[in-house]
């Protein structure tokens, strides 16, 4: 293989100069490492080694230019401090202390560099400096003495059908005698293998498969236990001249590849079934094989696969074959044909093993709601690919609920390409709604690495992440080109754009409402029809056109679940409750009163009842609150306020019994006033520093001393004129019948009459 790499490098060196390939350096942030990805159109050899302050990656090709314009858009400079290109096809990384780098290829031409927090593993080849010879692309780390090769051990329980294995594990040769040394035979065999073109193909196949498995975390390269005494298995380099036949070639360790690989499925089935996993509720987790979609189809054309699977559906007497039905059901799922699964199972009346799981997976593929009682919805915390399907199936999953996101991401990576592209955006959306933006970015990066152009899909995921972060301007920037392109994803992008405007409080013009309405009608039967209908309803509500908004809500019966419609209704009524125009609020409340009274969202009920009380509709407020209001302090307080407006002091006092706080104290004082207990009301208002109200209650209660201080000006004048609240001081000189006493009485009468006239005039003005 090294010979082939050298030849490729030589061909590149002597080839005619071509236009340089520009390779954008993509990035992604993870909890324990920062990742860089290089996607080369033409694969090439490369090497990476240590520098004084980081690492340097060097490609064998020199016609590569790295684009670093957006490398720090998605990653902080916590692990990777800086990235430069000091020379052609060379990438230099300056890393932070306490980190190390590793690199690998997930497929030819796609190089991944990870800068990981921690200490580099012992013997890491990337910790050695690069070779001083810039023309060399060989591994710069010292080459250790080669240990004896060890056989690749595979489980013996399954038949080996790989077309290449015969070249790596040849049948045992007849015993060789002294006619020719072992070196001669070895050279002949090596030459035969080297010149066989099928060996090169087998090597490429093996490298590709192992690289993919390593990137998915499915393989671990380790030496078998019997390497403790390698010398015991080593054959002598020169066969002694003896009459004893040499050991057969197929049994010698050095005649095999020194590699042991094993998938998680093989690992879990070797030596018996794995230990059964339980979810947090004690329910047994489904095995990985129950959702192993990647194993349910092959590389043949879909039509041919379906035709072959349908031939065995019916057996003797036209009775369906359960095994054939199960195989075809799984094939439909692998091909992304969810509706066909339900039609097949219902049409033939067959319930294969895990029938509920298969139907739930079909619903996930078709983006239909899965009943909460289905087992699959309860597997989000399982440590297997089942977690992926469970997270998508459980629409009621909350941010704090138990889930195994790492297992879900592994399950996503195991899907065939068609399902990764179909379900990846939905997984990213679900993770964003659960507050896991980092994992959503991991899904986005995985989609980016898939063959083809997926800028629209990744743009939608980017917009969702920006909306979750509150960066609405960035979301609008990401959505604008998708909407303008008017492609298949434009409707979903438009719905996200409306969400961004609503969340930011930005104004929405009527033209946008009309555009969303047209798309909502056009896509009413499509999977994105419900999202567009919601956008239409809320966009109309944001423009205070609630007549149009509630009418559009009433037309959301097609393509949307009752739960989704109820959620949209809650959002719309929330918009109505906060509209500043009292006339619009009152008119639409009475127009849509039956729908509003059906709401069971307690915060929204409180908000609506508060608005109705402010407008003087106590009876309507009590209806909105409903009977459950007596279980909540806030509900009892609003009911008491409604009783005050209805001038029922006794009912108000009964509602707020035991409540504390300034709001409750004010309602209690008003209730005491309505009940006629003016002296208690006076004391209650004094405690609230409401001196004007306390003065009025003092006047009503006959507390003249308080009224003389807190009452109105006419009240104070009258109290002073009549001498109310003052101790009677009888002057001995002012005996009854005297002229002075008579004059004083007349003066008091005139003053009292003037005070009464002033008080009556003030009362008339009121």
């Amino acid at each position: 293989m090294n010979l082939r790499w050298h030849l490729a490098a030589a061909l590149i060196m002597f080839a005619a100069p071509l236009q340089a390939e520009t390779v954008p350096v993509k990035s992604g942030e993870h909890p324990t490492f920062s990742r860089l990805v290089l996607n080369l159109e033409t694969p090439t050899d490369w090497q990476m080694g240590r520098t004084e302050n980081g690492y340097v990656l060097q490609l064998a090709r020199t016609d590569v230019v790295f684009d670093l314009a957006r490398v720090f858009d998605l990653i902080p400079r916590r692990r990777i401090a800086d990235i430069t290109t000091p020379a052609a096809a060379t990438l230099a990384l300056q890393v932070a202390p306490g980190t190390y780098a590793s690199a690998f290829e997930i497929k030819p031409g796609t190089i991944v560099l990870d800068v990981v927090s921690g200490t580099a593993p012992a013997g890491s080849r990337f910790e050695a400096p690069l070779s001083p010879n810039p023309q060399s692309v060989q591994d710069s780390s010292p080459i250790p003495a080669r240990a004896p090769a060890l056989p690749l051990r595979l489980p013996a329980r399954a038949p080996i059908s790989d077309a290449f294995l015969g070249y790596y594990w040849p049948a045992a040769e007849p015993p060789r005698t002294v006619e020719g040394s072992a070196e001669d035979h070895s050279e002949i065999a090596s030459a035969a293998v080297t010149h066989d073109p099928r060996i090169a193909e087998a090597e490429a196949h093996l490298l590709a498969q192992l690289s993919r498995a390593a990137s998915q975390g499915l393989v671990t390269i380790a030496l078998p236990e019997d390497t403790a005494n390698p010398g015991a298995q080593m054959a002598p380099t020169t066969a002694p001249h003896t009459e004893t036949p040499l050991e057969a070639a197929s049994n010698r360790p050095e005649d095999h590849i020194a590699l042991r690989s094993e998938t998680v499925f093989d690992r879990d089935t070797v030596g018996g079934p794995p230990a059964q996993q339980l979810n947090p509720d004690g329910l047994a987790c489904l095995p990985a094989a129950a959702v192993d979609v990647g194993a349910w189809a092959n590389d043949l054309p879909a039509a041919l696969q379906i035709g072959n699977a349908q031939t065995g559906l019916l057996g003797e007497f036209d009775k369906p074959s359960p095994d054939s039905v199960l195989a075809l059901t799984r094939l439909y799922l692998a091909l992304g044909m969810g509706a066909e699964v339900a039609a097949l199972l219902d049409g033939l009346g067959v319930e294969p093993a895990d029938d509920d799981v298969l139907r739930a997976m079909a619903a996930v593929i078709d983006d239909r709601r899965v009943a909460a009682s289905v087992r699959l919805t309860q597997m989000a915390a399982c440590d297997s690919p089942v977690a992926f399907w469970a997270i998508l199936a459980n629409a009621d999953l909350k941010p704090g609920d138990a889930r195994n996101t790492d297992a879900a991401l592994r399950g996503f990576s195991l899907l065939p390409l068609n399902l990764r592209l179909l379900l990846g955006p939905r997984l990213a959306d679900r993770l964003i709604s659960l507050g896991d933006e980092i994992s959503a970015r991991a899904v986005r990066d995985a989609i980016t690495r898939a063959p083809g152009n997926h800028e629209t899909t990744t743009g939608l995921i980017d917009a969702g992440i920006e909306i979750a972060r509150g960066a609405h301007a960035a979301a609008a920037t990401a959505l604008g080109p998708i909407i303008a392109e008017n492609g298949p994803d434009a409707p979903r992008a438009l719905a996200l754009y409306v969400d961004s405007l609503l969340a930011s409080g930005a104004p929405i013009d009527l033209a946008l409402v009309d555009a969303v309405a047209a798309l909502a009608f056009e896509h009413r039967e499509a999977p994105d029809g419900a999202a567009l209908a919601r956008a239409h309803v809320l966009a109309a509500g944001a423009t205070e056109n609630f007549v149009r908004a509630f009418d559009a809500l009433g037309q959301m019966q097609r393509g949307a679940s009752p739960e989704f419609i109820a959620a949209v209704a809650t959002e719309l009524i929330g918009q109505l409750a906060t509209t500043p125009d009292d006339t619009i609020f009152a008119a639409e409340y009475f127009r849509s009163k039956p729908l509003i009274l059906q709401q069971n969202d307690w915060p929204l009920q409180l908000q609506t009842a508060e608005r109705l009380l402010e407008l003087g509709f106590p009876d309507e407020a009590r209806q909105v609150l409903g009977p459950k209001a007596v279980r909540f302090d806030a509900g009892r307080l609003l009911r008491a306020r409604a009783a005050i407006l209805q001038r029922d002091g006794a009912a108000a006092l009964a509602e707020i019994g035991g409540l504390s706080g300034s709001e409750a104290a004010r309602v209690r004082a008003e209730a005491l006033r309505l009940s006629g207990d003016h002296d208690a009301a006076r004391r209650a208002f004094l405690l609230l520093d409401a001196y004007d109200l306390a003065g009025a209650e003092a006047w009503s209660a006959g507390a003249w001393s308080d009224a003389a201080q807190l009452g109105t000006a006419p009240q104070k004048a009258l109290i002073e004129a009549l001498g109310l609240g003052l101790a009677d001081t009888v002057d001995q000189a002012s005996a009854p019948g005297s002229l002075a006493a008579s004059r004083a009485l007349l003066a008091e009468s005139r003053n009292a009459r003037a005070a009464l006239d002033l008080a009556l005039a003030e009362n008339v003005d009121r």
Side-chain angles (χ1 to χ4, degrees):
M1 186 181 301
N2 288 336
L3 178 60
R4 189 176 72 249
W5 287 350
H6 285 301
L7 289 174
L11 289 174
I12 293 174
M13 291 174 59
F14 291 100
L18 298 177
Q19 185 178 2
E21 176 187 350
T22 300
V23 178
V25 180
K26 300 180 181 180
S27 59
E29 185 66 9
H30 301 267
T32 59
F33 64 94
S34 301
R35 172 164 290 181
L36 304 177
V37 179
L38 314 176
N39 289 311
L40 303 174
E41 294 182 1
T42 304
T44 183
D45 300 332
W46 54 272
Q47 62 174 345
M48 189 174 79
R50 256 291 186 181
T51 62
E52 292 182 0
N53 57 0
Y55 296 83
V56 62
L57 174 77
Q58 188 177 69
L59 304 183
R61 291 170 51 195
T62 58
D63 60 336
V64 174
V65 176
F66 293 116
D67 181 4
L68 305 178
R70 302 192 63 183
V71 68
F72 285 107
D73 286 359
L74 301 178
I75 62 174
R77 296 179 184 263
R78 185 173 61 215
R79 300 186 185 94
I80 303 176
D82 195 14
I83 305 175
T84 59
T85 55
T90 303
L91 199 64
L93 279 65
Q94 180 181 343
V95 301
T99 61
Y100 69 93
S102 64
F104 59 92
E105 280 190 88
I106 60 173
K107 64 178 182 179
T110 301
I111 305 172
V112 177
L113 285 74
D114 288 340
V115 177
V116 187
S117 299
T119 305
S124 173
R125 63 191 180 97
F126 303 118
E127 295 303 308
L130 289 184
S131 170
N133 180 10
Q135 300 297 331
S136 173
V137 294
Q138 298 298 320
D139 191 348
S140 60
S141 60
I143 302 176
R146 181 172 181 178
L150 297 171
L152 176 63
R153 299 182 178 178
L154 296 176
R157 48 189 158 65
I160 297 176
S161 58
D162 195 309
F164 303 129
L165 294 186
Y167 297 102
Y168 285 98
W169 294 277
E173 299 177 3
R176 288 183 277 118
T177 62
V178 296
E179 298 178 1
S181 66
E183 291 150 336
D184 297 334
H185 288 276
S186 176
E187 291 175 1
I188 295 172
S190 176
V193 170
T194 302
H195 291 87
D196 193 326
R198 292 172 293 183
I199 295 301
E201 182 183 1
E203 288 175 344
H205 174 81
L206 181 60
L207 284 174
Q209 295 301 319
L210 290 178
S211 298
R212 174 172 171 77
S215 68
Q216 296 172 347
L218 294 180
V219 296
T220 299
I221 300 176
L223 295 176
E225 296 179 357
D226 54 1
T227 62
N229 186 14
Q233 297 187 14
M234 293 182 63
T237 57
T238 303
H241 292 274
T242 173
E243 298 299 329
T244 305
L246 297 177
E247 184 181 10
S250 61
N251 294 326
R252 296 191 310 165
E254 58 267 34
D255 289 334
H256 301 279
I257 296 178
L259 180 67
R260 182 172 183 260
S261 63
E262 190 174 38
T263 68
V264 291
F265 303 108
D266 292 337
R267 179 200 66 197
D268 290 342
T269 53
V270 170
Q276 191 174 44
Q277 298 182 30
L278 301 178
N279 72 350
D281 297 327
L283 182 67
C285 292
L286 290 166
V291 293
D292 187 13
V293 183
W296 297 345
N298 53 46
D299 296 332
L300 295 176
L304 184 58
Q305 293 186 65
I306 294 173
N308 293 337
Q310 288 177 338
T311 56
L313 277 181
L314 301 178
E316 190 177 7
F317 305 113
D318 290 338
K319 183 178 180 180
S321 169
D323 292 340
S324 298
V325 171
L326 176 60
L328 183 56
T329 300
R330 288 177 167 177
L331 177 60
Y332 281 151
L333 291 175
L335 298 176
M337 304 167 66
E340 285 74 8
V341 170
L344 173 66
L345 298 179
D346 294 339
L348 295 181
V350 176
E351 294 185 2
D354 296 327
D355 172 79
D356 60 328
V357 175
L358 298 173
R359 289 179 180 271
M361 293 172 67
V364 168
I365 289 174
D366 287 345
D367 202 13
R368 292 182 282 110
R369 188 177 181 88
V370 180
S373 58
V374 176
R375 286 183 299 160
L376 188 61
T377 62
Q378 305 170 48
M379 305 289 174
C382 294
D383 189 17
S384 74
V386 177
F388 163 79
W389 294 95
I391 289 176
L392 288 181
N394 189 351
D396 299 324
L397 200 62
K398 302 296 189 299
D401 294 344
R403 67 180 186 276
N404 192 330
T405 307
D406 290 340
L409 293 177
R410 293 196 302 269
F412 170 71
S413 67
L414 291 173
L415 294 176
L417 178 61
N418 63 315
L419 290 184
R420 288 205 307 273
L421 297 179
L422 174 67
L423 302 179
R426 299 182 201 167
L427 177 62
D429 289 345
R430 179 59 54 85
L431 292 173
I432 292 171
S433 69
L434 295 174
D436 193 351
E437 298 170 17
I438 294 177
S439 297
R441 289 189 187 278
V443 175
R444 176 211 183 274
D445 294 342
I447 295 174
T448 303
R449 292 191 294 267
N453 184 0
H454 310 293
E455 291 183 1
T456 299
T457 301
T458 56
L460 289 172
I461 297 175
D462 288 339
I465 293 174
E466 298 298 345
I467 292 174
R469 292 176 52 240
H472 302 290
T477 301
L479 292 170
I482 303 175
I483 297 173
E485 190 178 90
N486 198 25
D489 292 317
R492 181 163 172 256
L494 187 60
L496 276 177
Y497 181 67
V498 172
D499 276 348
S500 178
L501 295 178
L502 293 172
S504 64
I508 296 179
D509 56 32
L510 186 59
L512 178 60
V513 179
D514 292 338
V516 177
L519 278 175
F521 179 79
E522 181 181 349
H523 291 255
R524 61 190 181 276
E525 302 288 352
D528 54 4
L532 285 168
R534 171 184 173 274
H536 176 211
V537 170
L538 299 183
T543 61
E544 295 190 344
N545 191 346
F546 288 103
V547 174
R548 178 176 184 174
F550 277 94
D551 288 345
L553 179 66
Q555 298 172 8
M556 283 185 61
Q557 303 302 323
R558 291 183 176 182
S561 65
E563 294 83 2
F564 183 82
I565 296 175
V568 176
T570 299
E571 293 181 276
L572 178 59
I573 296 172
Q575 288 180 322
L576 177 64
T578 56
T579 184
D581 193 312
D582 292 337
T583 302
I584 292 177
F585 171 81
E588 193 56 42
Y589 168 80
F590 286 103
R591 180 177 178 271
S592 304
K593 179 179 175 180
L595 177 62
I596 294 174
L597 293 182
Q598 292 176 10
Q599 284 302 304
N600 196 32
D601 185 277
W602 180 239
L604 181 58
Q605 290 174 273
L606 288 175
Q607 190 178 24
T608 307
E610 176 83 24
R611 189 71 184 275
L612 289 168
L613 288 176
E614 291 173 354
L615 295 177
F617 296 108
D619 293 334
E620 301 299 329
R622 292 176 71 93
Q623 290 184 53
V624 169
L625 291 171
K628 72 177 180 182
V630 298
R631 304 198 303 266
F632 304 97
D633 291 351
R636 291 170 57 194
L637 187 60
L638 289 181
R639 284 171 60 93
R641 287 176 55 188
I644 294 294
L645 290 177
Q646 294 169 327
R647 307 192 65 79
D648 190 344
L653 287 173
E655 292 286 358
I656 61 173
L659 296 183
S660 59
S662 59
E663 186 72 17
R666 180 172 290 277
V667 173
R668 185 176 290 107
E670 291 286 350
L672 290 171
R673 180 182 64 82
L674 289 174
S675 300
D677 192 346
H678 299 293
D679 191 54
R682 173 186 62 83
R683 294 193 298 272
F685 282 124
L686 282 174
L687 292 175
L688 292 170
D689 296 332
Y691 298 116
D692 54 342
L693 296 175
E697 293 306 301
W699 177 269
S700 299
W704 308 120
S705 59
D706 285 348
Q709 297 179 14
L710 305 174
T712 62
Q715 290 173 346
K716 292 178 181 179
L718 185 59
I719 292 172
E720 182 180 0
L722 296 177
L724 300 175
L726 300 176
D728 293 333
T729 56
V730 180
D731 188 2
Q732 296 295 333
S734 303
S738 65
L739 180 60
S742 298
R743 289 178 176 175
L745 183 61
L746 288 173
E748 290 177 0
S749 177
R750 285 194 297 271
N751 292 338
R753 181 172 182 177
L756 285 172
D757 289 342
L758 183 60
L760 290 173
E762 184 184 53
N763 191 45
V764 170
D765 293 339
R766 290 181 178 179

